Amino acid sequence: MNVTVQTEVGQPDKLTAKDFASDQEVRWCPGCGDYAILKAMHKSLADMGARPENTVFVSGIGCSSRFPYYMATYGFHTIHGRAPAVATGLKLARPELDVWVVTGDGDALSIGGNHLFHALRRNVDLNILLFNNEIYGLTKGQYSPTSRVGQRSPSTPMGSIDSPAEACTYALGCGARFIARGIDVQAKELDVLFKRAREHKGASFVEIIQNCIVYNDATFAAFTEKDVAADMQLHVKHGQPMLFGRERTKGLRLNTQTLRLEIVVIGENGVTEKDILVHDEKNRVLASLLVALRPPSFPEVLGVIYCDQAALSYEAAVVAQENEAKAKGPGNLDKLMRAGNTWSVD
Amino acid sequence: MNLQAEAGRKGGPSDAPVSKSDLDSIVVRFAGDSGDGVQLLGSQFSQETALAGNSLATFPDFPAEIRAPTGTTYGVSAFQINFGSRLIKTAGDQPDVLVALNPAALMVNYKGLRKGGLVILDSGAFKEKDIKRAGFTIDPRLDGTLKEFRVLEIDISAQALEVAKPFGVSQKEALRTKNLWTLGLVSWMYDREMKSTMEYVARKFGAEDPIGKANAAALNAGHAYGETHELSGDIAPVSMPSVKVAPGTYRLVSGAESLAWGLAAGAQLANLEMVLASYPITPSSPILHILAKLKQFGITTFQAEDEIAACCAAIGASYGGKLGVTASSGPGIALKTEAIGLAISTELPLVIVDTQRGGPSTGLPTKTEQSDLFIAVFGRNGDAPIPVIASHSPGDCFDVAIEAVRLATKYMTPVMILSDGYIANAAEPWLIPSMKDYTPFPVTFRTATEGFHPFLRDPHTLARVWAKPGTPGLMHRIGGIEKDYNSGNISYEPANHQKMTDTRTAKIANIANDIPEQDVALGEAKGKLAVVGWGSTFGPINRAVSNMREKGLDVSHIHIRHVWPLPRNLGALLKSYDKVLVAEMNNGQMLTLLKSQYLVDAKSLLKVSGQPLKIEEVSSAIRSLLGSN
């Protein structure tokens, strides 16, 4: 490349959250969950020592996809559903850039489901943030692929009847090697997820539960409201027992008879902390059990659910092949076109 | 045979027979089952013929099915070659020689053979059930079906089996050597050196492989058969002198090859690395295959999950400061249209290759057509102009690709290249270009921060600046939403949208000042009739115009390369003829374009059979328009 990549170590000018905010007026609805996510991102990038010139936000279409306009980084607001494809091309061209994809439940799981699948299975080193509000906001409130059965909307006046997509389950099925979930207003937790996603070499998938105040307000209240949060949120951490509840006495145990996770309470029925499953983020089987847990029967699982880095991300493997080919010497077009059967005319 | 070959080639009953000494070209058509190796037979014979110094044009004509049921007419694969000691411009209207490796191949092709032509049959493939399967009720060798032709029957299957026997290969493999046996015979007929084919066999199978040995033996055996058997005088070996062409080093090149190399050359001249993102589709895939092997040229290839992703990934690469390229055919181009609009709106360079095939929908995947002109020029939502350039022959694809890269990078715009199935698959002798003969057009990326915004424009070209991620101080956001002319920020202002639309239109229209004026390919710049073509119809139109001019008719040939924007003098040029005939392989797309642009009362010769235009079809249209019979 012609441009020298600036290292993040030893930068003289320590950037702040403000340095990552663009001069554009933010045009989300007042009270939208996207504001909190944006703010968290500004701060996280500053904390991580990211450089705005080496950071690119690529988005599709939808409320969430306006995100790049509010970042003082490079940004590309593309077309509906195709952000992972554009980002893949960008990453192939410029593997050294930090590329983030911002998408929503309609953009990523409906019109762009195919591209999300392939970005994840190829393991392109992208940080994919899916803002899930279970509704189409920008088109004025139709149900989305993550809307629950019965969702009333302009396009489903008698309630939706199709089974919702589960973002993290989908990602795992696609072959994602980094899967995490957070909530729009939990800035501290999001900060950790953003950092972990960025560190992970390969496709990182982060579902962010995001409240649409206009078309689907309080749809996540059953686990986000203050009074239920402790009992309905399980924040998992690698190497730590999966405990939750106000007193942190509830936990997950594997029922070896049914091969299912079940909620148990320490101190009840002879349950001790030893019975509680310890989170292992490298364990894909455990990840498959965790992503299947949804309220109201289970708490919402938050944090890094799965992280098992592959030896090489996709674009790194592409570069490795290209280097192998280049090791035999640079290409010469005149030679190439004269290889094989030729003849001369005097 | 020679006498009538000439008559057939010169196009129709109105041409007077010429003497045997005039033999300066011949058309041979090989046909067989799709598993018979007919394409290999044809391409190897072409190679031998090119090395013999003849001019040639080829026409591979094969079914969409990889291995259609054996013996069926829809499974017939054919390869036609026209070669000679004069400049060959088409693969030939009518074969002089038909090699039919089974009854179905005969069924599909015998009617196209000129009267008095030679049919070489593999009699071993003419069993009763094969004959019935091909749709003959009676053995065509017995009922007079072939009475207008001379027929040479050889049990090629038995010959091939016999030759392969000592090498211990299976019956199936032994039978599969019949294409090389046939090549040996035809090589003898036309006095071709078989060295290049021998080398090919050795390369493909390795020196020790019994299958390779069997194939080499079959090639020699076919040749020896011609030598030792007293074949009738008619097919005594014919020597075709080499054609007089410009000095230099030549090779055979297919359109797909020269297009791929032209893209690589264009990227080098622009001083850019390339990312080709494609999704497999007939007949475009060879471009992906060829470029996938050129990693040492700084070329990244990406087989995307679909056509849309391919176009989007190419756009992402261009955004990143490389040359994004995507290649497809009609159905794929249809899928890419929204993304092409994004590249237009964000004003990023992008090269889109459309190797056209029969449409609409899946259409005729392996057959040729020129029916994507409308989608190339107009096929997007919004007012969304892009330059469109059409290649007229396999070798021409090289220069067209370079021109596409030049325009895409200079004007920050997607550019569409129109090739077609005929050009992509056909091969022709090609004077190999030297890279030193091309003027580089290196790209300059914006690095200066002062006064920067992403839609700053060059006052002459109207191209916006190209600032790539990683450049300090130039962080910016672009997207498909309308942008403010003065800042690049989102803008919904009515006057601004008008201005941006006008600017995008003017930017592309202005390219007419940066491309050559329209020339006359053959004939005069005024007169009674101009035949206008574009793309792969160059050969038949040019030959037909040449033939008619020899007969004293006032007709000229204009061939359009820059389909959009059209050359700045084209309107005036067309008006300098009494009549204009547009000949194209679609239902009137260039015709409509020219009529709408210039209000010219053009007539048309339209053909959408999936087969290339014939010389005689053009000649006949010329005669009819000029009232000459």
Side-chain angles (χ1 to χ4, degrees):
Chain A
M1 301 304 342
N2 302 328
V3 171
T4 317
V5 178
Q6 305 200 1
T7 56
E8 290 164 16
V9 186
Q11 282 296 329
D13 47 339
K14 172 82 178 124
L15 300 174
T16 66
K18 248 169 60 187
D19 295 316
F20 283 90
S22 78
D23 60 357
Q24 296 296 292
E25 189 189 343
V26 183
R27 298 190 193 181
W28 287 311
C29 308
C32 175
D34 290 353
Y35 282 96
I37 305 171
L38 178 68
K39 213 171 153 209
M41 181 58 77
H42 288 159
K43 184 176 180 306
S44 280
L45 287 176
D47 290 353
M48 287 184 253
R51 299 297 308 175
E53 65 269 24
N54 294 336
T55 306
V56 187
F57 280 82
V58 182
S59 64
I61 294 291
C63 295
S64 59
S65 289
R66 297 297 178 97
F67 199 90
Y69 289 114
Y70 311 132
M71 300 295 304
T73 61
Y74 282 89
F76 199 169
H77 180 214
T78 72
I79 46 178
H80 207 6
R82 320 302 172 199
V86 174
T88 297
L90 173 60
K91 195 72 185 174
L92 279 171
R94 303 289 304 281
E96 77 280 12
L97 296 173
D98 245 345
V99 182
W100 298 77
V101 171
V102 179
T103 182
D105 37 311
D107 194 55
L109 296 173
S110 199
I111 194 166
N114 192 32
H115 308 304
L116 178 60
F117 164 37
H118 291 281
L120 292 174
R121 79 163 173 91
R122 286 193 187 104
N123 198 31
V124 187
D125 188 18
L126 305 171
N127 309 313
I128 302 169
L129 312 180
L130 189 159
F131 298 5
N132 184 5
N133 57 14
E134 298 188 358
I135 205 78
Y136 280 90
L138 204 58
T139 51
K140 301 196 184 339
Q142 299 84 356
Y143 83 119
S144 94
T146 54
S147 295
R148 281 160 251 178
V149 172
Q151 174 94 37
R152 287 178 190 272
S153 80
S155 57
T156 52
M158 295 172 69
S160 76
I161 50 179
D162 44 333
S163 181
E166 300 278 0
C168 290
T169 304
Y170 179 75
L172 191 69
C174 292
R177 304 186 71 112
F178 180 98
I179 295 171
R181 189 189 282 135
I183 296 175
D184 50 8
V185 293
Q186 295 185 349
K188 231 170 68 188
E189 286 79 1
L190 281 186
D191 181 59
V192 174
L193 301 188
F194 293 161
K195 284 174 182 157
R196 290 288 311 274
R198 185 167 175 266
E199 279 165 17
H200 177 256
K201 295 298 161 211
S204 307
F205 178 82
V206 183
E207 179 189 9
I208 302 173
I209 301 299
Q210 178 249 325
N211 189 48
C212 173
I213 196 164
V214 174
Y215 293 109
N216 210 14
D217 194 23
T219 194
F220 303 111
F223 63 89
T224 55
E225 286 299 294
K226 268 201 181 107
D227 55 332
V228 293
D231 284 327
M232 291 306 292
Q233 294 179 11
L234 167 62
H235 292 265
V236 295
K237 280 201 180 111
H238 182 62
Q240 294 189 12
M242 292 190 277
L243 289 166
F244 63 103
R246 211 169 292 274
E247 311 297 327
R248 289 188 63 78
T249 50
K250 294 182 186 174
L252 293 182
R253 179 173 76 175
L254 180 69
N255 183 325
T256 53
Q257 301 287 305
T258 62
L259 282 182
R260 286 165 200 253
L261 294 177
E262 58 189 15
I263 297 171
V264 292
V265 181
I266 294 172
E268 286 180 13
N269 303 320
V271 172
T272 69
E273 192 167 333
K274 278 186 189 161
D275 295 307
I276 306 300
L277 266 178
V278 170
H279 183 44
D280 173 6
E281 64 185 24
K282 288 185 189 304
N283 185 333
R284 195 171 187 278
V285 175
L286 177 61
S288 71
L289 295 171
L290 289 175
V291 294
L293 304 183
R294 297 313 299 265
S297 330
F298 285 91
E300 183 80 342
V301 181
L302 301 163
V304 176
I305 297 170
Y306 181 54
C307 176
D308 185 18
Q309 187 167 306
L312 278 181
S313 59
Y314 176 73
E315 76 290 342
V318 168
V319 169
Q321 281 195 346
E322 287 172 356
N323 288 342
E324 194 184 324
K326 286 173 186 165
K328 293 169 195 153
N332 179 315
L333 268 175
D334 286 316
K335 262 194 204 163
L336 174 78
M337 295 190 289
R338 281 163 183 78
N341 289 312
T342 62
W343 66 95
S344 287
V345 175
D346 301 321
Chain B
M1 153 187 176
N2 301 335
L3 182 144
Q4 296 204 10
E6 188 63 14
R9 195 181 45 261
K10 279 255 169 125
S14 65
D15 291 314
V18 289
S19 73
K20 179 168 180 168
S21 63
D22 278 1
L23 175 70
D24 56 8
S25 70
I26 194 153
V27 179
V28 179
R29 188 171 177 92
F30 303 100
D33 232 14
S34 46
D36 277 344
V38 169
Q39 298 305 320
L40 178 80
L41 163 56
S43 60
Q44 284 303 318
F45 183 69
S46 306
Q47 189 68 253
E48 292 177 5
T49 296
L51 292 171
N54 289 146
S55 180
L56 67 89
T58 71
F59 174 38
D61 187 11
F62 46 86
E65 292 75 17
I66 301 299
R67 294 277 187 277
T70 312
T72 55
T73 51
Y74 54 88
V76 171
S77 174
F79 186 103
Q80 188 164 315
I81 174 170
N82 183 5
F83 60 100
S85 55
R86 65 166 183 172
L87 195 61
I88 298 297
K89 297 180 177 178
T90 78
D93 279 10
Q94 277 188 311
D96 303 305
V97 177
L98 170 66
V99 179
L101 295 178
N102 72 358
L106 182 67
M107 180 59 146
V108 174
N109 292 293
Y110 79 90
K111 285 174 188 153
L113 191 63
R114 70 156 177 86
K115 281 181 190 171
L118 173 68
V119 181
I120 301 175
L121 293 178
D122 175 10
S123 58
F126 276 67
K127 306 214 168 50
E128 201 185 330
K129 72 169 172 40
D130 305 320
I131 292 168
K132 290 265 173 327
R133 185 140 212 211
F136 292 109
T137 44
I138 306 170
D139 189 334
R141 298 170 298 175
L142 306 175
D143 70 349
T145 299
L146 304 177
K147 66 174 188 288
E148 291 180 327
F149 313 115
R150 284 161 307 106
V151 180
L152 174 62
E153 287 189 52
I154 305 172
D155 191 341
I156 297 173
S157 299
Q159 294 282 340
L161 283 173
E162 188 60 30
V163 175
K165 208 184 255 173
F167 302 99
V169 299
S170 69
Q171 168 102 359
K172 194 176 151 200
E173 290 296 349
L175 201 56
R176 287 181 66 177
T177 65
K178 79 180 192 178
N179 61 340
L180 285 194
W181 194 96
T182 308
L183 177 56
L185 178 70
V186 179
S187 298
W188 167 78
M189 282 172 66
Y190 298 105
D191 195 22
R192 311 273 90 144
E193 288 280 344
M194 302 193 298
K195 187 164 160 273
S196 60
T197 302
M198 278 300 180
E199 286 167 358
Y200 167 83
V201 171
R203 229 177 17 250
K204 175 158 177 163
F205 296 99
E208 294 310 309
D209 189 305
I211 297 174
K213 286 180 175 170
N215 274 289
L219 183 70
N220 282 328
H223 196 271
Y225 186 97
E227 265 173 5
T228 55
H229 284 70
E230 289 291 317
L231 296 178
S232 66
D234 273 343
I235 60 160
V238 173
S239 226
M240 187 75 72
S242 56
V243 65
K244 292 211 176 357
V245 290
T249 305
Y250 285 77
R251 67 170 300 135
L252 270 192
V253 78
S254 72
E257 277 171 330
S258 82
L259 187 54
W261 296 341
L263 290 168
Q268 275 192 3
L269 294 167
N271 195 26
L272 290 176
E273 295 193 319
M274 186 206 300
V275 175
L276 171 86
S278 268
Y279 184 75
I281 183 170
T282 302
S284 164
S285 304
I287 295 170
L288 170 61
H289 305 166
I290 294 162
L291 290 174
K293 290 184 198 148
L294 301 186
K295 294 180 174 39
Q296 68 276 25
F297 287 83
I299 294 171
T300 301
T301 56
F302 174 57
Q303 182 177 317
E305 59 269 27
D306 61 28
E307 297 282 1
I308 298 170
C311 195
C312 287
I315 292 170
S318 285
Y319 176 67
K322 293 200 176 179
L323 176 67
V325 180
T326 187
S328 188
S329 185
I333 298 298
L335 283 164
K336 293 179 197 297
T337 54
E338 188 198 8
I340 295 170
L342 176 67
I344 292 169
S345 177
T346 52
E347 301 189 42
L348 283 167
L350 172 71
V351 176
I352 308 134
V353 182
D354 179 0
T355 304
Q356 301 166 93
R357 65 190 220 187
S361 187
T362 307
L364 304 171
T366 59
K367 307 297 179 190
T368 197
E369 207 163 278
Q370 299 181 299
S371 48
D372 289 352
L373 185 147
F374 280 169
I375 198 174
V377 176
F378 301 117
R380 290 160 294 279
N381 61 307
D383 288 304
I386 57 169
V388 178
I389 316 175
S391 160
H392 73 249
S393 75
D396 185 46
C397 291
F398 187 78
D399 286 342
V400 163
I402 290 175
E403 177 70 350
V405 177
R406 183 183 76 87
L407 294 180
T409 50
K410 182 170 176 183
Y411 293 90
M412 295 292 280
T413 177
V415 177
M416 179 102 62
I417 295 174
L418 289 176
S419 173
D420 65 31
Y422 174 67
I423 288 176
N425 290 314
E428 66 176 4
W430 186 48
L431 178 59
I432 306 171
S434 285
M435 287 310 295
K436 65 173 168 41
D437 296 335
Y438 290 86
T439 310
F441 41 85
V443 160
T444 310
F445 289 101
R446 172 85 180 198
T447 51
T449 54
E450 203 184 316
F452 169 80
H453 74 78
F455 281 80
L456 275 179
R457 291 176 191 280
D458 178 298
H460 302 293
T461 62
L462 299 179
R464 78 168 182 97
V465 293
W466 195 359
K468 57 183 177 179
T471 314
L474 299 188
M475 289 76 73
H476 64 274
R477 278 64 57 191
I478 57 172
I481 298 185
E482 188 61 280
K483 285 134 303 252
D484 181 74
Y485 186 90
N486 296 310
S487 69
N489 290 329
I490 290 180
S491 168
Y492 301 106
E493 289 299 315
N496 179 70
H497 180 55
Q498 182 76 51
K499 187 172 187 184
M500 288 295 277
T501 302
D502 294 347
T503 303
R504 286 186 290 262
T505 303
K507 180 176 85 168
I508 302 305
N510 178 44
I511 291 174
N513 297 315
D514 193 15
I515 58 174
E517 290 202 340
Q518 181 63 52
D519 62 357
V520 178
L522 183 63
E524 317 300 328
K526 60 180 181 179
K528 286 190 178 154
L529 175 65
V531 184
V532 179
W534 64 280
S536 71
T537 53
F538 184 92
I541 295 174
N542 201 260
R543 177 60 75 198
V545 168
S546 160
N547 289 351
M548 293 302 104
R549 288 180 64 81
E550 278 173 24
K551 289 181 181 301
L553 298 188
D554 179 6
V555 55
S556 301
H557 175 200
I558 292 172
H559 214 72
I560 298 172
R561 161 181 292 224
H562 285 274
V563 173
W564 198 262
L566 289 160
R568 54 195 178 277
N569 64 326
L570 182 60
L573 181 62
L574 294 180
K575 282 170 185 152
S576 65
Y577 298 90
D578 298 343
K579 290 179 180 173
V580 171
L581 172 70
V582 180
E584 54 185 336
M585 297 187 292
N586 60 50
N587 227 356
Q589 300 192 9
M590 178 59 87
L591 177 76
T592 305
L593 192 68
L594 295 180
K595 282 182 168 182
S596 71
Q597 293 300 302
Y598 307 121
L599 297 175
V600 57
D601 182 23
K603 305 288 181 252
S604 63
L605 171 64
L606 309 174
K607 178 176 179 180
V608 281
S609 65
Q611 298 294 316
L613 211 53
K614 288 185 174 176
I615 298 165
E616 175 50 26
E617 290 163 344
V618 183
S619 301
S620 163
I622 293 171
R623 284 194 298 264
S624 135
L625 274 176
L626 292 180
S628 158
N629 293 302

